[in-house]
Amino acid sequence: MISTKKLQQAKLEFEEKLAEQSEMSYSIIRPTAFFKSVSGQLESILQGNSYVLFGDGAVTQCNPIEEGELAMYMCDSSLEEYKEQRWGKILNVGGPDAPLTNKMLGEMMFKAIDKPAKFVYVPTEVFDFSISMIEFIAKNWPSQKWDDVLETSKIGKYYAVEDMLTTDDKEKFGSIGMMDHFEKIAAEGQDPFTPVRATSLISKALEALPVISISIPLGFGLLLKPYLLEKVMTSSPLANVPILLVAGLNDIVTS
């Protein structure tokens, strides 16, 4: 499959250039995902919110790898003893877990904090609606800002609907599993660089509103914080963009 994401295209182009040269040895290592990439909802569920799932919660599967063990794998790959196995090759690597769905990750996280699991479900089509909105804005009010927002939205959808998984035992590395990680962060707190997601806002909104009224990048902020609407409407490049609000929504939603 040819990637349509600029970030991925840039990486693939770099890999091609690396493979073309012969002045230095190399290994191209493609990890499935980092633990912290799937830990961003911890703070939200600690506050009593539901865990947000896309689709039925089993749209994607993953087996993330612990960062320290990934670093070990990468350092080992530079050693002479791994020349035959790893030099000049593309290496997929994931952690020791069996394939984990997003719902399974949520259940594990609730177990780690000793709370009953509860979920809200977001159709993946929400991404298509959001991306279409942003594409319309980026096309009619061109700016680097909206190009960046559009690309970020596409990357967000990619991570919501694509597996981050390796099933070949030869491509699994390490001994630290996701449950080990969740128990650790439940006791000690998150890595400060963990991407904390706006899931508490999403969770509360979905429990109050029909999902068809929500647009992830714009809808939540505008519906839950109506005072932001005036700021958005008076700021470039949205100043002249017509925005349709569903009648009565602001009467339902509370801050």
Side-chain angles (χ1 to χ4, degrees):
M1 181 184 296
I2 298 175
S3 172
T4 59
K5 312 298 177 294
K6 293 179 182 178
L7 174 64
Q8 293 166 329
Q9 289 173 346
K11 289 182 176 180
L12 292 172
E13 289 174 9
F14 179 78
E15 288 182 3
E16 289 178 6
K17 297 295 183 182
L18 196 58
E20 289 171 1
Q21 59 82 41
S22 58
E23 297 179 2
M24 64 179 178
S25 60
Y26 69 90
S27 296
I28 296 171
I29 297 172
R30 295 176 175 175
T32 51
F34 301 133
F35 281 0
K36 65 185 178 184
S37 299
V38 293
S39 303
Q41 298 200 47
L42 177 68
E43 284 76 9
S44 177
I45 65 172
L46 281 171
Q47 295 169 8
N49 297 308
S50 298
Y51 190 99
V52 178
L53 296 172
F54 293 102
D56 61 358
V59 175
T60 62
Q61 296 179 314
C62 66
N63 65 319
I65 184 168
E66 196 270 333
E67 290 181 20
E69 293 188 326
L70 174 60
M72 185 185 302
Y73 183 90
M74 295 174 69
C75 290
D76 286 349
S77 298
S78 67
L79 300 177
E80 187 79 23
E81 62 185 280
Y82 289 98
K83 182 176 181 179
E84 294 299 321
Q85 302 102 306
R86 300 185 188 178
W87 288 17
K89 293 181 171 61
I90 295 175
L91 306 164
N92 299 317
V93 60
D97 285 308
L100 298 168
T101 65
N102 195 19
K103 187 172 185 179
M104 291 167 68
L105 291 171
E107 290 169 343
M108 293 165 70
M109 194 178 290
F110 277 110
K111 182 178 179 181
I113 64 171
D114 195 26
K115 286 190 176 184
K118 60 177 184 174
F119 302 94
V120 291
Y121 296 82
V122 182
T124 56
E125 290 80 8
V126 169
F127 284 100
D128 298 322
F129 174 72
S130 301
I131 290 170
S132 296
M133 283 180 59
I134 298 168
E135 281 180 332
F136 174 81
I137 296 170
K139 180 179 179 179
N140 290 279
W141 290 270
S143 73
Q144 185 62 52
K145 170 187 174 181
W146 285 109
D147 286 345
D148 292 344
V149 172
L150 177 60
E151 184 65 15
T152 301
S153 299
K154 290 180 177 180
I155 292 172
K157 178 186 176 182
Y158 176 87
Y159 284 116
V161 301
E162 297 289 341
D163 290 338
M164 297 182 287
L165 178 68
T166 177
T167 56
D168 188 335
D169 285 340
K170 295 179 181 178
E171 296 178 337
K172 293 185 176 183
F173 184 81
S175 60
I176 303 174
M178 280 306 312
M179 195 65 211
D180 299 318
H181 172 69
F182 286 146
E183 289 175 346
K184 179 181 178 181
I185 63 175
E188 302 176 9
Q190 292 267 38
D191 178 322
F193 296 103
T194 298
V196 178
R197 299 168 184 169
T199 48
S200 60
L201 184 63
I202 296 172
S203 177
K204 290 175 181 176
L206 289 178
E207 289 172 351
L209 298 172
V211 72
I212 58 172
S213 68
I214 304 297
S215 166
I216 283 181
L218 298 177
F220 290 120
L222 295 179
L223 291 174
L224 294 179
K225 302 291 184 181
Y227 66 86
L228 291 177
L229 181 59
E230 181 178 354
K231 292 183 180 180
V232 172
M233 290 297 292
T234 56
S235 64
S236 178
L238 278 178
N240 298 311
V241 178
I243 294 180
L244 176 63
L245 293 179
V246 180
L249 285 181
N250 285 337
D251 296 330
I252 301 172
V253 182
T254 56
S255 303

